[in-house]
Amino acid sequence: MLSSELNIPAPASKVDFLVVGGGPVGLLAANLIVQAGMTVRILDIEYEPSHWGRGDWIHGRTLELLERAGLESELLKTGVKVDKMSSYMNGKLQKEIPFVLEETESKHEYLLCVGQHITESSLQSQLSEFDVQVERPATVVNMDRDNQGEYPIKATVMHLQEGKGTEEVECKYLLGCDGAHSDIRQQLGITNEGETSETHAGVLDALIRTNFASRKEVCIVQSDHGKTISMFPRENGLTRIFVHFNEDEHEQRKEQHNRNRIQMEDIQREAKRALLPHRIEFLGILYWSIYVVGQRYASRLDSEDRRVFLCGDAAHSQSPTLGQGVNTGFGDIFNLIWKVAMVEKGQLNRKYLSTYHSERWDVAQQVLSIDKIAAKAAAGHEAADYCDVVESNRAFTAGYGIKYEYNKEHEQSLMWVSGDESKDYVMQPGMRAPNYKVFGFVSGKKTRLFDVAKGGDVPAWLTYTIFVLAHDLRSTHDIVSKFLNQKNTVVPVNTVIVTTSTADQVSNYKSLFDSDRVVIDKLNQAQCHRAYHRKLDTSIKNHSEGEAVHIVLVRPDGYIATILRGEDGVILGNQLDQYFSNIL
């Protein structure tokens, strides 16, 4: 069957995935799906993609995840990197807060400010290499089930252009990435809970001229004459400005001006007042909007049969105050797609798809809780309170502090705590695995752990990683060798040996290992070993003393699955095999 207009093949009527929503979350999902070798169609109800506005903060942890999928480079070339947040009162600097905690180890220790339309364009461009385009305007109006077939979901797709009508599409999975007013969520009968406040905020993207000196960071600006505003740089010389109106602003304006909308001129006027005694001139407004502050969430993130999943704003929505929307949505996708791909390849038991809800729902609740406090502080015009919220929660909001909680009572968990002594350590399953700097044994150059772990035919985000913390190979080479010979996994695994030995010492044992996968942990007093050896007991001075070999198993999404400790390579290998046997 051919399309009559362009003489190109019509979209398939049977696909692995049907993605509803062509925003950044849906586009990321489609990219990962095709990278995994599965088929996809992606729909969006809008006639054309967004050209301005919406989400524009991409945090460091999100960039790490995008890098694992090779999707970050265009954004890094275009966006503006911001290291800190500054607060001002009557034009005077009050406080500066780095966005990322000093002890964080990552390539991306900053906030990237880039317009959502650029994120969407970049993701669509890379998706086009697989001959996949967003179909517009179209949506799913009905879903039926055939649980006996290979494609259990029968979706009725309505094309809104005149004359195109409806079609039936069969798929294995359907993703609802269709925003806060998700129709897919409603079709599933999943309630949208939470609250919407009476607090409003105005936002605009503009080319400006100002004598306000601080233009390279996120600024929270207050004065005795106006409301709180926040402003930060964007791509191509743009500046985004938020005006945080009073909690009762909407009602006040109804009474005073007999209207129920805040206008663009109001946003401009309040920005000018807040920046006093400095001046600001608006040379051009490219986008402006008013939004209502609220925090809402779906009561469940999946259907009972684990065939339909809600992602992004369809699952949880909050104010733009801390720039969490796109980041949390991308986190949803990176949590979900590797699990579905491994299920389809026979590398993971289908029951573990339930971990998408159990892991991401808790994260969403924490996002909404922090956002509610931050939005109220911003509307209350107390910059100190707002900065305190940012500072105390920045590990989480930057993404590096997100942790999936392990509960041994849960039958389905992709984390495993081995042994009672594990609870004595700081590093735990469910935490992000830090990307420490090391020296490559072969190259002799500085690199990072996950750069060494790359390679092979399978994308990094579909591969488990094993870090063997071997200490000094002169005393542990036999343990490490036996472990490597004993482990026998059926899922893709990259193994990296991390040692504190010198290059000359490693050379004596290079016949035992793949030299390209050996790194030397000598930077910052062997920071990788120190981190994983560190115990909760702060009275211990030398945390590495007496430590055994550590085997750190990292999930495809970069979170620690388990940490094994011991001095018997055969037992360590058997324990690792047991983890993978449990999840099959």
Side-chain angles (χ1 to χ4, degrees), residues 497-540:
I497 298 169
V498 188
T499 176
T500 56
S501 302
T502 65
D504 288 341
Q505 292 165 350
V506 174
S507 297
N508 296 324
Y509 309 104
K510 62 182 181 181
S511 62
L512 300 176
F513 320 119
D514 179 353
S515 296
D516 289 330
R517 296 303 176 97
V518 178
V519 297
I520 297 173
D521 185 21
K522 287 293 186 182
L523 291 167
N524 298 328
Q525 300 177 321
Q527 61 178 349
C528 182
H529 280 76
R530 284 193 300 111
Y532 282 100
H533 293 163
R534 186 180 167 201
K535 296 184 177 66
L536 295 168
D537 186 349
T538 56
S539 66
I540 299 175

Side-chain angles (χ1 to χ4, degrees), residues 531-556:
Y532 282 100
H533 293 163
R534 186 180 167 201
K535 296 184 177 66
L536 295 168
D537 186 349
T538 56
S539 66
I540 299 175
K541 294 183 178 180
N542 184 0
H543 291 270
S544 295
E545 185 176 353
E547 283 294 331
V549 170
H550 288 211
I551 308 297
V552 182
L553 179 64
V554 183
R555 304 183 339 175

Side-chain angles (χ1 to χ4, degrees), residues 388-568:
D388 287 346
V389 174
V390 172
E391 187 169 17
S392 61
N393 293 286
R394 58 191 163 144
F396 181 86
T397 55
Y400 297 113
I402 291 175
K403 180 187 177 185
Y404 298 137
E405 295 297 334
Y406 170 74
N407 186 340
K408 64 182 180 180
E409 302 300 324
H410 289 172
E411 184 179 347
Q412 285 87 37
S413 177
L414 290 167
M415 282 92 69
W416 179 35
V417 175
S418 63
D420 292 336
E421 75 283 355
S422 295
K423 66 180 182 298
D424 298 332
Y425 291 83
V426 172
M427 297 297 288
Q428 292 290 324
M431 290 182 172
R432 162 190 171 266
N435 196 12
Y436 289 112
K437 289 180 181 177
V438 289
F439 285 104
F441 165 62
V442 173
S443 69
K445 297 179 180 179
K446 288 181 182 179
T447 185
R448 288 188 182 269
L449 288 177
F450 283 104
D451 290 341
V452 180
K454 291 179 180 177
D457 298 329
V458 181
W461 64 270
L462 268 178
T463 307
Y464 273 85
T465 302
I466 299 171
F467 294 126
V468 180
L469 274 60
H471 298 281
D472 189 339
L473 284 173
R474 290 175 296 179
S475 57
T476 64
H477 67 275
D478 187 55
I479 300 172
V480 174
S481 179
K482 287 180 178 179
F483 166 76
L484 296 176
N485 290 329
Q486 183 68 23
K487 72 178 180 66
N488 181 28
T489 63
V490 297
V491 304
V493 170
N494 284 322
T495 302
V496 178
I497 298 169
V498 188
T499 176
T500 56
S501 302
T502 65
D504 288 341
Q505 292 165 350
V506 174
S507 297
N508 296 324
Y509 309 104
K510 62 182 181 181
S511 62
L512 300 176
F513 320 119
D514 179 353
S515 296
D516 289 330
R517 296 303 176 97
V518 178
V519 297
I520 297 173
D521 185 21
K522 287 293 186 182
L523 291 167
N524 298 328
Q525 300 177 321
Q527 61 178 349
C528 182
H529 280 76
R530 284 193 300 111
Y532 282 100
H533 293 163
R534 186 180 167 201
K535 296 184 177 66
L536 295 168
D537 186 349
T538 56
S539 66
I540 299 175
K541 294 183 178 180
N542 184 0
H543 291 270
S544 295
E545 185 176 353
E547 283 294 331
V549 170
H550 288 211
I551 308 297
V552 182
L553 179 64
V554 183
R555 304 183 339 175
D557 57 359
Y559 290 88
I560 298 170
T562 190
I563 303 175
L564 308 173
R565 302 173 178 89
E567 298 180 352
D568 188 320

